[in-house]
């Protein structure tokens, strides 16, 4: 019989098998709490500060308990790390013969049907010479690969356009009607997941499946004893996305592209079909053109002011109906045409629902504008009840863990948002010595964040700190506009020659690699670098945060939720906006101290931290670092060894 205490002890199983393993009381307590939760089929919401070692704390009891375990992570990177490194390490240490499977969304696997179609298609003239070369590499890889996971073909860039031609979506998959169904990589991955003891997924896949019964988890969940969500602070956002409905002009253009190829290959003698496809494609593009803004969100009230939008949406519905009629005539001629007909009907249904006031009660309807596409969204005002229904379907253990779930160790906000009314909660502080290792600096004399020169003054306050730290900094901004302005100002600053890296100049992994290599760089980033980034050692000795990360109050979903909470006589700012900002801030601040040898300064520029009554609640939620408002003290900190 395994004993958790002895496994985590200084001369225990983990210590003997894992290089650099150290006993931490927080990790042991967390492992014991998780073992108890699994044994009693309970719900646990667990916050574990940086350095606790939460991955081992949940893997050991989960593997020991037996039964089927689903582990859901925030990113595909963390998914790969768990599958390739962490779980095999624990399995070897414990000498338990558990089987593991990795399950990703279908867009990560090559589709034999669409690959074959791309190879046969003489109309792919818009594809470049590089893309043709990539297509040949993908064909070779698909013939030799056991899993068809595109991450195994590093020679083809992840963002190459050709991937869209050789993978399927939930809309475009032909399912059991597909001629290549028996050798399908997605189906093979699902089979392995069904047979495995431990299945590693990500949050997007988990919720896509729970809501859409799409990716094979609907068969996995009933047999599962334990569900563990790592990086669980991301769940409210992901759940909102999947518990709602959306349809984009991008999906309509994909439908047009697929329908054109199918029409040529299976219904070349039917002239009306290409015309109907072209008319729908034009109507979708025209709808996007009715909004001049880029990369923004608009509420239903705002879009109603746009007369052109409503007319364009009417026209699109009409053209979709005409296309559905023509496809119905030809659907029996190929599985592909049948699929295009079903997709057309589904898109039509979603757009009609989005327009219907009564159908969308309890949802907020809004529009997101991208560079090339426009998306209609309906998001539930609350996800709590929907998620509760999924959890009570059958008894099992549910574990939610992250470094950032509470406000001053209070989990009320998170539990209410997720509907975890019966959950037990626990909080373990980081084992790092923050009082010695870190300093919180809030500069004096800065204006309120809405002041027009705020960002310029933030940079002026940051310059002496950046000089004292000799670069080696993350400059985290709450908006892309502020990020760009910080970059411009630092580029032209006097006597300032540290290397500058700007988010977007390369992939996140490339930027981090460059940052570590340079050893004195300043990386200026926005949302991408607030979380999931780990730079240990002296290369990162300063984290500057331009302002408290309150979500913009004009965001349509946030505005509707605020209105709902306030209309119930509650205080939306204290109950909803402030806790969310605290959790986001804790994520950004968490980039600074990543191991017990790290030292650094956290500079939060926002004066509201000291001028507003709620400021105290915010800094008390941060790790217990020493605080100062004196620049000289900051300079002394950097000079001390």
């Amino acid at each position: 019989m395994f004993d958790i205490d002895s496994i985590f002890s200084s001369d225990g199983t983990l210590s003997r098998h894992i290089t650099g393993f150290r006993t931490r009381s927080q990790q042991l307590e967390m492992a014991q709490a998780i073992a108890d939760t699994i044994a009693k089929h309970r719900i646990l919401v667990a916050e574990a500060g940086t350095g606790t070692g939460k991955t081992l704390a949940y893997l050991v009891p989960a593997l020991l308990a037996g039964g089927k375990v689903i582990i859901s992570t925030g990113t595909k990177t963390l998914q790969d790390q768990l599958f390739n490194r962490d779980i095999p390490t624990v399995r070897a240490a414990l000498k338990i013969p558990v089987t593991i499977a990795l399950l990703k969304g279908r867009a990560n696997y090559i589709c034999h049907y669409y690959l074959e179609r791309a190879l046969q298609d003489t109309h792919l003239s818009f594809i470049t010479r590089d893309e043709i070369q990539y297509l040949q590499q993908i064909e070779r890889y698909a013939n030799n690969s056991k899993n068809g996971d595109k991450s195994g073909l590093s020679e083809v860039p992840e963002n190459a356009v050709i991937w869209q031609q050789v993978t399927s979506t939930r809309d475009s998959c032909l399912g059991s009607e597909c001629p290549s169904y028996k050798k399908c990589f997605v189906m093979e991955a699902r089979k392995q997941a069904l047979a495995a003891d431990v299945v590693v997924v990500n949050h997007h896949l988990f919720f896509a499946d729970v809501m859409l019964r799409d990716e094979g988890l609907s068969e996995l969940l009933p047999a599962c004893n334990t569900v563990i969500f790592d990086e669980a602070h991301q769940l409210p956002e992901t759940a909102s996305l999947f518990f709602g409905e959306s349809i984009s002009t991008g999906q309509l253009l994909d439908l047009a592209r697929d329908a054109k190829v199918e029409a040529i290959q299976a219904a070349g003698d039917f002239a009306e079909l290409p015309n109907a496809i072209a008319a729908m494609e034009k109507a979708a593009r025209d709808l996007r053109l009715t909004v001049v803004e880029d990369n923004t969100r608009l509420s239903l009230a705002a879009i109603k002011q746009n007369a052109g939008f409503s007319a364009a949406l009417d026209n699109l519905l009409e053209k979709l109906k005409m296309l559905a009629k023509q496809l119905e005539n030809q659907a029996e001629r190929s599985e592909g045409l049948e699929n295009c007909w079903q997709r057309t009907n589904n898109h039509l249904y979603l757009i009609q629902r989005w327009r219907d006031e009564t159908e969308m009660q309890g949802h907020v309807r809004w529009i997101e504008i991208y560079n090339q596409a426009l998306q209609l969204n309906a998001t539930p005002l609350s996800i709590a009840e929907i998620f509760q229904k999924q959890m009570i379907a059958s008894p099992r253990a549910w574990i939610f863990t992250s470094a950032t779930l509470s406000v001053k160790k209070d989990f009320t906000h998170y539990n209410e948002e997720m509907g975890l009314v019966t959950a037990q909660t626990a909080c373990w502080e980081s084992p790092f010595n923050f009082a010695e290792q870190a300093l919180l600096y809030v500069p004096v004399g800065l204006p309120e964040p809405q002041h027009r020169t705020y960002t310029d003054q933030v940079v002026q306050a940051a310059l002496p700190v950046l000089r004292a730290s000799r670069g080696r900094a993350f400059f985290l901004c709450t908006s892309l506009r502020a990020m760009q302005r910080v970059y411009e100002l630092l580029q032209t600053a006097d006597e300032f020659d540290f290397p500058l890296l700007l988010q977007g100049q390369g992939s996140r992994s490339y930027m981090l690699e460059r940052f570590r290599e340079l050893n004195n760089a300043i990386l200026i980033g926005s949302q991408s670098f607030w979380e999931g980034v780990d730079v240990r050692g002296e290369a990162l000795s300063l984290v500057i945060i331009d302002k408290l990360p309150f979500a913009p109050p004009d965001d349509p979903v946030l505005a509707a939720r605020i209105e709902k909470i306030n209309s119930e006589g509650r205080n939306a700012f204290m109950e909803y906006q402030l806790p969310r900002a605290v959790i986001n801030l804790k994520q950004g601040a968490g980039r600074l101290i990543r191991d017990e040898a790290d030292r650094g300064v956290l500079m939060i520029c926002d004066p509201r931290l000291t001028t507003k009554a709620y400021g105290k609640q915010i800094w008390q939620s941060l790790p217990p670092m020493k605080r100062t408002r004196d620049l000289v003290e900051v300079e002394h900190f950097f000079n001390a060894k």
Side-chain angles (χ1 to χ4, degrees):
M1 182 64 188
F2 288 101
D3 171 31
I4 294 249
D5 290 50
S6 65
I7 289 169
F8 283 91
S9 68
S10 55
D11 58 350
T13 312
L14 297 179
S15 183
R16 290 196 303 274
H17 287 86
I18 299 174
T19 311
F21 177 83
R22 287 208 180 123
T23 299
R24 303 178 185 103
S25 59
Q26 297 93 328
Q27 186 180 50
L28 173 59
E29 286 172 25
M30 184 176 176
Q32 288 167 330
I34 288 171
D36 188 56
T37 302
I38 293 172
K40 293 172 182 169
H41 286 139
R42 287 188 175 163
I43 303 167
L44 176 68
V45 178
E47 181 174 277
T50 311
T52 304
K54 62 182 166 64
T55 308
L56 288 180
Y58 66 68
L59 282 180
V60 169
L63 298 194
L64 289 178
K68 198 170 190 80
V69 181
I70 294 177
I71 301 172
S72 181
T73 72
T75 61
K76 282 186 280 189
T77 308
L78 190 53
Q79 228 187 321
D80 288 333
Q81 182 184 308
L82 275 164
F83 179 74
N84 295 316
R85 190 187 76 189
D86 298 340
I87 301 174
T89 300
V90 174
R91 177 174 62 182
L94 298 176
K95 296 185 172 61
I96 305 179
V98 296
T99 52
I100 36 176
L102 182 68
L103 190 59
K104 297 182 180 179
R106 66 172 70 248
N108 292 279
Y109 301 97
I110 294 165
C111 169
H112 291 292
Y113 176 79
Y114 284 104
L115 172 60
E116 194 58 39
R117 208 181 66 167
L119 290 164
Q120 290 174 4
D121 188 6
T122 54
H123 295 266
L124 291 176
S125 52
F126 59 88
I127 285 185
T128 64
R129 189 175 295 174
D130 278 351
E131 298 282 344
I132 290 167
Q133 204 174 348
Y134 294 154
L135 184 59
Q136 290 163 350
Q137 288 174 305
I138 292 168
E139 182 187 18
R140 280 196 297 275
Y141 177 68
N143 289 334
N144 298 310
S145 170
K146 285 182 180 168
N147 58 25
D149 185 340
K150 69 181 196 183
S151 69
L153 185 59
S154 53
E155 297 91 328
V156 180
E158 203 177 333
N159 59 354
V161 176
I162 194 66
W163 284 122
Q164 293 171 23
Q165 312 289 335
V166 298
T167 54
S168 72
T169 63
R170 185 172 64 88
D171 290 336
S172 65
C173 174
L174 303 181
S176 57
E177 299 299 311
C178 179
S180 302
Y181 184 73
K182 284 185 178 164
K183 57 176 184 173
C184 173
F185 288 125
V186 174
M187 293 312 298
E188 185 52 39
R190 290 182 185 178
K191 261 186 241 164
Q192 288 181 12
L194 279 168
D197 301 308
V198 181
V199 186
V200 184
V201 300
N202 61 52
H203 301 336
H204 276 255
L205 179 63
F206 186 91
F207 284 103
D209 181 77
V210 162
M211 291 315 291
L212 307 170
R213 295 283 175 261
D214 176 50
E215 304 286 358
L217 281 176
S218 47
E219 298 168 74
L220 284 176
L221 263 177
C224 165
N225 301 70
T226 306
V227 179
I228 300 169
F229 292 107
D230 199 344
E231 302 297 316
H233 63 277
Q234 297 176 5
L235 292 183
E237 200 68 37
T238 310
S240 289
L241 181 70
F242 285 103
F243 291 171
E245 291 178 6
S246 66
I247 173 74
S248 77
T249 56
Q251 286 170 275
L252 295 168
L253 297 181
D254 286 348
L255 168 62
R257 179 196 68 205
D258 293 343
K260 275 183 208 169
V261 177
E262 293 294 345
I264 290 161
Q265 292 183 354
D269 56 349
F270 188 66
E272 286 92 336
L273 186 52
N275 296 339
I277 296 166
M280 187 279 285
E281 185 176 18
K282 182 179 184 304
R285 293 188 191 281
D286 287 347
L287 181 68
R288 168 62 189 91
L289 293 172
T290 60
V291 183
V292 293
E293 294 95 337
D294 254 359
N295 300 315
T296 189
R297 295 175 162 199
L298 297 173
S299 66
L300 185 64
I303 202 68
K304 277 182 174 173
Q305 315 270 312
N306 182 336
F309 173 84
S310 193
L313 194 59
D314 284 340
N315 182 47
L316 176 59
L317 282 166
E318 186 190 321
K319 297 297 187 282
L320 267 171
K321 285 173 187 165
M322 285 168 58
L323 177 59
K325 193 175 168 187
Q326 301 297 355
L327 282 166
E328 186 178 9
N329 283 336
Q330 304 297 309
E332 62 189 24
R333 297 179 74 168
S334 80
E335 293 92 344
L337 283 171
E338 166 83 25
N339 171 265
C340 289
W341 175 44
Q342 288 172 357
R343 281 161 71 186
T344 305
N345 285 330
N346 187 47
H347 295 343
L348 193 54
Y349 168 76
L350 285 174
I351 296 172
Q352 286 169 330
R353 260 177 74 80
W354 188 86
R355 294 200 84 168
D356 190 329
E357 191 84 43
T358 52
E359 287 277 352
M360 288 288 109
Q361 280 183 350
H363 288 69
V364 51
R365 288 175 287 160
W366 55 286
I367 287 170
E368 188 147 19
I369 318 295
Y370 303 99
N371 189 19
Q372 301 287 332
L374 177 151
Q375 184 164 294
L376 308 178
N377 300 290
T379 305
L381 282 166
S382 167
I383 60 168
E385 281 180 38
I386 310 171
F387 190 57
Q388 264 176 346
K389 278 180 195 161
Q390 306 303 330
M391 290 181 67
I392 59 175
S394 59
R396 64 175 63 88
W398 295 81
I399 292 141
F400 301 78
T401 184
S402 166
T404 56
L405 293 172
S406 74
V407 178
K408 283 173 59 182
K409 301 183 182 177
D410 181 353
F411 293 85
T412 306
H413 164 75
Y414 185 81
N415 288 357
E416 284 184 354
E417 192 169 13
M418 291 297 294
L420 306 175
V421 284
T422 61
Q424 293 180 297
T425 60
C427 193
W428 289 279
E429 300 261 347
S430 167
F432 301 152
N433 185 353
F434 277 92
E436 293 292 322
Q437 290 177 253
L439 181 67
L440 170 61
Y441 171 53
V442 181
V444 293
L446 284 175
E448 288 293 303
Q450 63 269 31
H451 193 279
R452 60 185 180 79
T453 65
Y454 180 75
T455 302
D456 295 42
Q457 293 194 51
V458 161
V459 172
Q460 285 309 307
L463 280 168
V465 185
L466 287 162
R467 289 190 183 105
S469 70
R470 304 186 305 284
R472 304 184 301 161
F474 274 9
F475 206 131
L476 301 179
C477 301
T478 50
S479 72
L480 293 171
R481 187 184 294 138
M483 180 185 85
Q484 198 63 46
R485 182 66 180 150
V486 167
Y487 180 63
E488 289 163 11
L489 290 166
L490 289 180
Q491 272 185 314
T492 56
D494 294 334
E495 297 174 39
F496 193 80
D497 55 1
F498 299 106
L500 298 178
L501 301 171
L502 179 68
Q503 177 182 312
Q505 289 174 338
S507 69
R508 187 166 83 156
S509 53
Y510 167 77
M511 302 284 286
L512 288 170
E513 204 178 307
R514 286 286 295 139
F515 182 82
R516 289 186 187 103
E517 280 169 5
L518 288 162
N519 218 36
N520 68 338
I522 298 160
L523 192 156
I524 305 147
S526 185
Q527 202 55 48
S528 294
F529 290 92
W530 278 73
E531 62 176 277
V533 173
D534 193 3
V535 179
R536 295 170 190 228
E538 290 193 348
L540 179 58
S541 298
L542 169 65
V543 171
I544 301 173
I545 292 176
D546 72 333
K547 62 172 85 162
L548 297 174
F550 286 104
D554 58 351
D555 177 88
V557 179
L558 180 64
R561 285 178 176 164
I562 289 170
E563 189 183 333
K564 178 178 184 284
I565 293 167
N566 288 337
S567 71
E568 292 166 355
R570 293 150 60 204
N571 184 330
F573 179 79
M574 295 305 289
E575 284 185 36
Y576 190 72
Q577 291 166 276
L578 182 62
R580 283 182 68 144
V582 169
I583 287 168
N584 286 338
L585 183 69
K586 283 166 74 173
Q587 277 294 330
R591 298 315 98 215
L592 183 63
I593 304 296
R594 303 302 297 173
D595 74 28
E596 55 205 16
D598 279 359
R599 286 180 85 252
V601 170
L602 173 65
M603 177 178 178
I604 302 177
C605 302
D606 197 322
R608 291 175 293 183
L609 205 58
T610 56
T611 60
K612 301 291 184 190
Y614 59 77
K616 188 176 183 183
Q617 220 175 317
I618 295 175
W619 60 254
Q620 284 181 340
S621 295
L622 294 171
M625 50 186 87
K626 194 179 171 193
R627 303 186 305 278
T628 186
R629 307 206 66 192
D630 184 353
L631 177 61
V632 173
E633 204 171 335
V634 174
E635 290 168 338
H636 283 163
F637 181 91
F638 282 120
N639 289 330
K641 291 297 176 200

